[in-house]
Amino acid sequence: MKTVKIVQSGDFHLDSPLTLHNINFRSQRKEELLNTVERIVSLAVKEKADLILLTGDLFDSMRVSRKTLLYLQKEFMRFPGRIFIAPGNHDPFTPESPYATFSFPEHVHIFSSYEEVYLEELDCVVCGAGFQSGYVKESLFENRSCSTPAEIRILLMHGDVTEGASLYNPVSCENIRQSGFSYIALGHRHSFSGILSEGSTQYAYAGIPEGRGFDETGEKGVLVGSIYSNGSALQFKPLSRRTYEILEVDISSLLTTQEIFSRIRSSLRNETSIYRILLCGQVSPYLSIDFVHLSLMLYEKLPDFELRDETTLAGDTLSFPPHSLRGIFMELLSEKRESSDKEFWNEVEKTGLAALLPGGMK
């Protein structure tokens, strides 16, 4: 039985602005995203892959640095097989795009309009179409099937598998079922889809190889394995250098900033991930968190993070004589909460009560 060994990836979004990160870490994180390409090529070489299939959105926009293009060129040259790219909505193939203006190595094929590339030595045809604008409302896949006789038939495309409308190349399950392809490598969605089937055709989103924000949490990677004429043997291979994680830390019983730091540190799964740390629980009004000091301690352990205070005051601390300053303050707050942002007024409550306690805010 003939097989073709592939590595599938895409959605690198190179040269993203990464405004989520503090300015000191931002340039480092941009280089880490760029170095993802090296890890993908090295994996493909190690696995003796025949093809690297890149499913679009390699670039985050049309503004791509010369450094990024030269790095891609250098890394692509290390791969002895063939590389195929299907541009996506963030990096469509236009006359001004890097795909048209930069000289990629000869073994790199970039799809624009639909075409079929037959690889005689593999008895395999790789078909594909790329975005030529930021939006593709009419499916590039509508009534599409392979016309080239080959034992293994692969389609490479950026698109959105949906039964409804989409601005990003809508692909229906019926289109997949009737296509006759052995395997369809898809890009656009940033999470691994699992290996899916419609009729005799298998398809998958590999997801992104490296996250860029807290909407892309958890392990990211690529697909590696073999394509047959009537199926595949592919597996997800984690590849990300860092993960983005959302971490809830209950600080209900704590009274000092140092205690909070110790609780956070003991909750970390590793110190290479980038965390959104949510402080939660019911706390004493005597707790006054020094966020500047807490952040400085955290930066000694973590590359970057986001810190949010989602605590509320413990219920048993909120009973005050009605004519006391604190009682009047709480009565006014209860009126405000009924008609405004609850989260904002919770913060006002904590800050105000801390100021009104004996000794005031420290």
Side-chain angles (χ1 to χ4, degrees):
M1 180 186 298
K2 289 188 177 180
T3 67
V4 173
K5 190 80 174 284
I6 71 160
V7 170
Q8 177 186 334
S9 188
D11 292 281
F12 303 162
H13 289 272
L14 299 175
D15 287 350
S16 293
L18 298 178
T19 53
L20 165 75
H21 294 298
N22 74 71
I23 195 165
N24 296 321
F25 180 65
R26 198 175 298 161
S27 59
Q28 177 184 335
R29 187 63 182 146
K30 286 184 178 183
E31 290 218 340
E32 289 175 355
L33 291 179
L34 191 56
N35 290 337
T36 302
V37 180
E38 184 275 331
R39 297 200 302 279
I40 291 170
V41 172
S42 293
L43 176 65
V45 171
K46 179 182 176 182
E47 295 285 339
K48 296 185 168 70
D50 301 300
L51 310 175
I52 295 177
L53 305 178
L54 301 177
T55 57
D57 284 0
L58 272 63
F59 312 118
D60 191 58
S61 72
M62 300 291 279
R63 295 188 299 274
V64 182
S65 69
R66 185 73 177 174
K67 170 184 174 179
T68 294
L69 293 171
L70 291 173
Y71 189 85
L72 285 179
Q73 183 184 61
K74 175 176 71 73
E75 290 303 317
F76 286 169
M77 287 290 289
R78 293 198 301 115
F79 182 61
R82 298 287 297 272
I83 299 173
F84 290 88
I85 302 172
N89 56 293
H90 278 263
D91 59 354
F93 194 115
T94 68
E96 300 80 26
S97 74
Y99 295 126
T101 61
F102 184 74
S103 296
F104 285 89
E106 288 186 3
H107 68 303
V108 177
H109 187 93
I110 302 166
F111 292 106
S112 52
S113 56
Y114 178 81
E115 58 181 315
E116 302 179 355
V117 180
Y118 180 63
L119 306 174
E120 184 177 2
E121 68 278 14
L122 300 173
D123 195 13
C124 168
V125 59
V126 180
C127 310
F131 277 55
Q132 297 182 62
S133 65
Y135 299 107
V136 176
K137 298 179 183 179
E138 300 297 325
S139 178
L140 299 172
F141 193 41
E142 189 71 31
N143 301 319
R144 187 72 68 190
S145 61
C146 180
S147 61
T148 302
E151 182 164 342
I152 298 171
R153 302 164 306 284
I154 297 172
L155 178 68
L156 178 65
M157 196 170 280
H158 197 86
D160 188 9
V161 176
T162 177
E163 296 308 310
S166 173
L167 296 173
Y168 306 108
N169 183 27
V171 176
S172 73
C173 292
E174 183 62 23
N175 287 155
I176 296 173
R177 191 178 306 116
Q178 298 297 328
S179 69
F181 286 102
S182 308
Y183 178 73
I184 301 174
L186 289 168
H188 186 59
R189 296 183 183 173
H190 288 190
S191 296
F192 172 48
S193 63
I195 309 302
L196 306 172
S197 296
E198 287 293 338
S200 61
T201 299
Q202 292 191 332
Y203 67 100
Y205 291 92
I208 54 178
E210 189 85 30
R212 294 175 300 138
F214 295 109
D215 56 344
E216 299 171 346
T217 56
E219 200 73 71
K220 303 300 178 184
V222 301
L223 282 175
V224 183
S226 296
I227 307 296
Y228 310 104
S229 62
N230 58 352
S232 66
L234 297 170
Q235 63 177 354
F236 178 78
K237 179 88 170 175
L239 200 70
S240 53
R241 175 170 180 174
R242 302 185 193 274
T243 61
Y244 288 78
E245 307 288 348
I246 297 176
L247 180 67
E248 291 189 0
V249 181
D250 190 332
I251 61 170
S252 294
S253 62
L254 309 185
L255 289 170
T256 69
T257 300
Q258 183 63 48
E259 286 181 303
I260 293 170
F261 170 71
S262 297
R263 178 69 57 84
I264 293 172
R265 186 177 178 185
S266 66
S267 302
L268 299 176
R269 289 180 278 276
N270 62 70
E271 295 183 359
T272 60
S273 291
I274 300 164
Y275 289 94
R276 172 180 285 166
I277 302 167
L278 308 178
L279 301 181
C280 58
Q282 294 189 323
V283 300
S284 166
Y286 289 97
L287 172 64
S288 179
I289 305 172
D290 185 341
F291 282 99
V292 173
H293 183 48
L294 179 58
S295 294
L296 288 173
M297 290 190 288
L298 287 171
Y299 273 124
E300 291 181 0
K301 300 297 177 185
L302 298 172
D304 201 11
F305 59 88
E306 184 180 291
L307 187 61
R308 294 186 179 184
D309 182 6
E310 298 189 351
T311 59
T312 57
L313 287 175
D316 59 2
T317 68
L318 302 180
S319 179
F320 304 106
H323 300 298
S324 68
L325 279 176
R326 282 169 285 174
I328 295 169
F329 175 70
M330 292 301 293
E331 184 178 351
L332 290 171
L333 274 186
S334 66
E335 295 172 4
K336 294 289 186 182
R337 276 200 182 97
E338 293 177 3
S339 59
S340 191
D341 180 13
K342 183 177 179 181
E343 184 177 335
F344 171 77
W345 291 110
N346 281 345
E347 188 60 34
V348 171
E349 175 185 82
K350 287 189 291 182
T351 304
L353 286 178
L356 292 171
L357 285 167
M361 294 182 70
K362 301 292 185 182

